[in-house]
Amino acid sequence: MVDLSSYKGIVFDMDGTLVDSMPAHMEAWRVTCENYGYPFDLDYMYSLGGVPTQQTVVVLNDKFSMDHDPSEVARYKRESWEAMKLEPVIIESTMAVFNHYRPHMAIGIGTGAERPHAEHLLTAHGLLERIDSLVTATDVTHGKPHPETFLTVAQQMGVEPSECVVFEDTEIGRQAAEDAGMDCIMVNNGEIQV
């Protein structure tokens, strides 16, 4: 077990870090990109993990010189994901950390997912009632890589950012954690990198 005793709070990203939902999200993005004419590159799209959906559309519009309406494309992507009816599974390595430290440490989730999606996933796995804070793309003005998501989680938990550690699976998430003044532990393919 990774030693986190020097911290007072743990912040987990959700998709790809605590819950293995990235394959389903990537398939929904593939369908969405095909529908709107964006070239689909799995590695590139995965690198945008943690960026709110509408902001991802802004990034794609800039990259490919397109001008699709971000809210329309985001809605299409969300509906594509929901139509798949895939129930993501818990990632065992990070869930072990969650369960080990939950009794005596504040735990929050900072995700680029929209609130209804996050609440659905966390409720399905019995986690929503076990956390001290949930901050989603719906709750912030600036999504990752901006630090607002993680700073808001720390504030809601009542823990100083410097006393928090973040578990993340993307470079964008790592940047957000570091810009929030938090240490970051990466999760790669379900394995904690220490």
Side-chain angles (χ1 to χ4, degrees), residues 33 37-41 44-45 59-66:
C33 286
Y38 298 114
F40 179 75
D41 177 335
Y44 179 70
M45 291 306 296
V59 170
L60 292 174
N61 278 341
D62 288 346
K63 182 174 177 66
F64 298 112
S65 301
M66 296 184 177

Side-chain angles (χ1 to χ4, degrees), residues 11-185:
V11 184
F12 290 98
D13 170 49
M14 187 180 69
D15 292 312
T17 301
L18 198 55
V19 180
D20 187 13
S21 55
M22 290 302 278
H25 280 292
M26 290 302 101
E27 179 59 17
W29 272 118
R30 186 191 64 74
V31 169
T32 302
C33 286
E34 285 182 5
N35 186 69
Y36 287 94
Y38 298 114
F40 179 75
D41 177 335
L42 179 63
D43 292 335
Y44 179 70
M45 291 306 296
Y46 193 89
S47 77
L48 296 176
V51 176
T53 305
Q54 286 195 39
Q55 185 58 37
T56 298
V57 178
V58 172
V59 170
L60 292 174
N61 278 341
D62 288 346
K63 182 174 177 66
F64 298 112
S65 301
M66 296 184 177
D67 62 352
H68 295 298
D69 176 38
S71 59
E72 175 194 328
V73 178
R75 184 180 69 252
Y76 186 92
K77 187 266 177 179
R78 183 181 65 249
E79 290 171 356
S80 298
W81 192 89
E82 290 170 352
M84 292 179 199
K85 298 193 183 310
L86 297 172
E87 203 57 63
V89 297
I90 288 292
I91 295 173
E92 291 183 23
S93 63
T94 48
M95 198 62 220
V97 171
F98 183 108
N99 288 329
H100 181 79
Y101 287 101
R102 174 65 268 187
H104 52 274
M105 198 178 292
I107 293 184
I109 293 177
T111 176
E114 295 175 10
R115 181 163 280 277
H117 165 71
E119 289 180 346
H120 168 79
L121 274 186
L122 296 170
T123 299
H125 291 290
L127 296 176
L128 188 60
E129 65 273 9
R130 295 181 63 202
I131 58 175
D132 301 297
S133 170
L134 170 62
V135 178
T136 71
T138 311
D139 308 313
V140 296
T141 305
H142 306 288
K144 300 173 193 175
H146 192 281
E148 182 182 356
T149 298
F150 293 141
L151 291 172
T152 305
V153 172
Q155 180 183 30
Q156 289 180 1
M157 293 191 307
V159 178
E160 287 298 316
S162 61
E163 298 176 319
C164 293
V165 62
V166 174
F167 283 80
E168 257 291 352
D169 68 318
T170 67
E171 200 52 37
I172 285 171
R174 184 192 61 72
Q175 181 183 338
E178 289 181 357
D179 288 351
M182 301 178 182
D183 289 337
C184 186
I185 296 173

